[in-house]
Amino acid sequence: MNPERPVVPFVAALLRDAEESESLGHWRIAREQHEQALRELTGQGDPRMAARQIRRVARCLIEEGDMESALDALQLARTVAAIGNDQAGIAHAINLEGIVAQQRGKVAEAEELYRRARTIAWTARELLLVAMLDQNLGTIANIRGDHAEARLRYEASLAAYRTLGMRRPVGPLLNNLGMLHTDLAEWRDAERYFSAALREASACGDLAGQLRTEANRAEMYVTRRRFRKAKRLSRRVLALGLSGAKCEGSWVAEAYKHLGVAYRETGALERAEDCLTQSLRLAEQREDVLLVAETLRELGDLHHRKGQYRETLSNLSRAHELFSHLTARRDVSEVDARLRQLEQQVVS
């Protein structure tokens, strides 16, 4: 790892403010603060620090759902890092490119980018980044239904974070473990990891992390058919995400999806359609292909219950195509079964 020049006090204050804005889910404000810090750094002749700031801008753009602008920023970040012979900076930029690819549903491309970044990070002895990349590779394995690999990746990342004394990344990692155990229907472990993730996020002042975890807890309660609790958690996420603290992120679309499913399963079909339609709109806006596929599947179930077979077929066919593109094997099988059931009902 290469030393960087000390940051002047004014820029250091801007960076602290930007990090606080990120924790609150105020991504546009955080981006503007990072951009101002970058302007202040212009002319100081430290390409490593400049590349880091450009990556932070890109990260905010990803959270804002502006993927094209994020990729433009990351291309610039890689160029600036190369000028400074900053191999770790290049690896960080490639990791973020992988996150964009994953969100857009390009799972194979994302995996290749993560593995390439991991090789560079390992060579540069950037152990924190190696741990982050193992976590990201774990999310790819989880999408594909390879829970054994996902667990190994997550647990290796968790051990690395703790060894390195890094507390802030622990919360999101514990949240991932909660999601993994939800998929495995291991409810006690899922509850334990989600509770631990919430404690870590609270201790770090990470409201965005808390809402992300609460949204995933809501999904667990939907899966367990505990709809009252799922509704309560989803409404809390929406209250803080859309009003109140205005903590915006992918968790808003997730919460609308879980609330829609809970309404559907308790007989409030019109409310369910409103929520699921809103979830789909936000997911498409953010180019979140996995969430789009999941929401289409739930809309298909809703339209089937309403006797709208054409809409059901359209929703499930689109979901099947997206899940196939994601190589989400378990989801493909589930939608296959629903399509076969629909075909039999139409024929009979």
Side-chain angles (χ1 to χ4, degrees):
M1 292 184 288
N2 296 293
E4 292 178 345
R5 298 178 186 179
V7 180
V8 298
F10 175 66
V11 175
L14 276 174
L15 297 181
R16 286 194 298 271
D17 290 345
E19 288 174 2
E20 182 178 356
S21 297
E22 289 176 6
S23 294
L24 294 172
H26 299 164
W27 303 109
R28 180 185 59 78
I29 294 172
R31 172 173 52 81
E32 291 171 352
Q33 289 165 332
H34 284 308
E35 288 170 342
Q36 185 178 354
L38 181 61
R39 287 192 294 271
E40 295 295 330
L41 290 169
T42 301
Q44 291 193 20
D46 190 341
R48 296 170 189 272
M49 194 174 294
R52 175 184 290 181
Q53 279 308 112
I54 297 167
R55 292 195 305 270
R56 288 177 172 178
V57 169
R59 180 73 217 197
C60 292
L61 287 165
I62 291 170
E63 294 293 346
E64 291 178 81
D66 190 349
M67 301 302 161
E68 283 302 316
S69 295
L71 288 176
D72 288 343
L74 290 170
Q75 184 177 10
L76 177 59
R78 287 179 67 173
T79 300
V80 174
I83 291 171
N85 192 28
D86 179 9
Q87 292 302 304
I90 292 171
H92 274 286
I94 295 172
N95 175 44
L96 289 170
E97 289 171 359
I99 290 172
V100 172
Q102 181 175 338
Q103 185 147 327
R104 285 178 153 179
K106 301 175 182 179
V107 174
E109 179 183 335
E111 182 179 19
E112 192 277 329
L113 287 166
Y114 291 150
R115 291 187 184 279
R116 191 195 316 168
R118 191 184 188 283
T119 298
I120 298 170
W122 181 261
T123 302
R125 306 304 298 163
E126 284 286 327
L127 300 183
L128 175 58
L129 180 55
V130 170
M132 293 165 59
L133 286 156
D134 277 332
Q135 180 176 345
N136 289 344
L137 286 165
T139 66
I140 295 289
N142 203 47
I143 289 171
R144 290 174 170 162
D146 190 344
H147 297 129
E149 181 182 347
R151 187 191 304 232
L152 287 172
R153 295 275 186 187
Y154 290 158
E155 290 177 350
S157 294
L158 182 59
Y161 291 149
R162 287 175 170 162
T163 299
L164 293 166
M166 301 300 296
R167 188 168 191 181
R168 195 170 189 83
V170 168
L173 190 280
L174 292 169
N175 174 56
N176 284 356
L177 280 163
M179 294 166 65
L180 170 66
H181 287 284
T182 296
D183 289 343
L184 294 169
E186 296 172 351
W187 309 125
R188 184 172 297 178
D189 285 333
E191 287 271 20
R192 177 166 59 88
Y193 280 118
F194 283 138
S195 294
L198 287 169
R199 286 195 300 273
E200 289 293 332
S202 178
C204 294
D206 184 5
L207 178 59
Q210 291 179 60
L211 295 189
R212 182 179 286 108
T213 302
E214 291 283 42
N216 289 323
R217 282 183 73 211
E219 181 173 24
M220 178 189 66
Y221 288 123
V222 165
T223 306
R224 297 172 67 181
R225 303 191 65 78
R226 295 177 61 179
F227 298 120
R228 181 177 295 178
K229 196 155 190 176
K231 287 178 183 177
R232 180 174 62 80
L233 285 173
S234 297
R235 288 174 182 140
R236 167 177 159 76
V237 172
L238 291 174
L240 290 170
L242 297 175
S243 57
K246 196 71 174 175
C247 185
E248 297 178 320
S250 59
W251 43 89
V252 173
E254 292 274 4
Y256 270 123
K257 185 190 74 170
H258 306 323
L259 188 58
V261 173
Y263 276 136
R264 185 191 67 202
E265 295 302 311
T266 52
L269 300 188
E270 295 308 316
R271 283 188 174 185
E273 184 148 21
D274 288 343
C275 289
L276 291 172
T277 300
Q278 187 76 321
S279 175
L280 181 61
R281 181 186 68 80
L282 291 171
E284 289 177 335
Q285 189 178 84
R286 296 179 58 83
E287 299 186 55
D288 190 336
V289 172
L290 178 59
L291 183 54
V292 168
E294 291 172 344
T295 306
L296 285 168
R297 176 176 56 194
E298 302 304 340
L299 273 168
D301 194 341
L302 172 67
H303 289 139
H304 184 245
R305 295 185 191 200
K306 295 174 74 173
Q308 299 170 335
Y309 294 111
R310 181 176 299 176
E311 290 84 352
T312 303
L313 179 61
S314 175
N315 294 149
L316 292 180
S317 297
R318 283 185 63 200
H320 187 277
E321 180 182 358
L322 293 175
F323 281 133
S324 298
H325 184 66
L326 288 160
T327 62
R329 292 183 287 267
R330 186 184 63 176
D331 298 290
V332 170
S333 297
E334 183 184 341
V335 176
D336 264 335
R338 296 190 190 191
L339 284 168
R340 285 195 299 271
Q341 180 185 24
L342 181 66
E343 183 179 357
Q344 290 169 358
Q345 288 177 342
V346 171
V347 169
S348 61

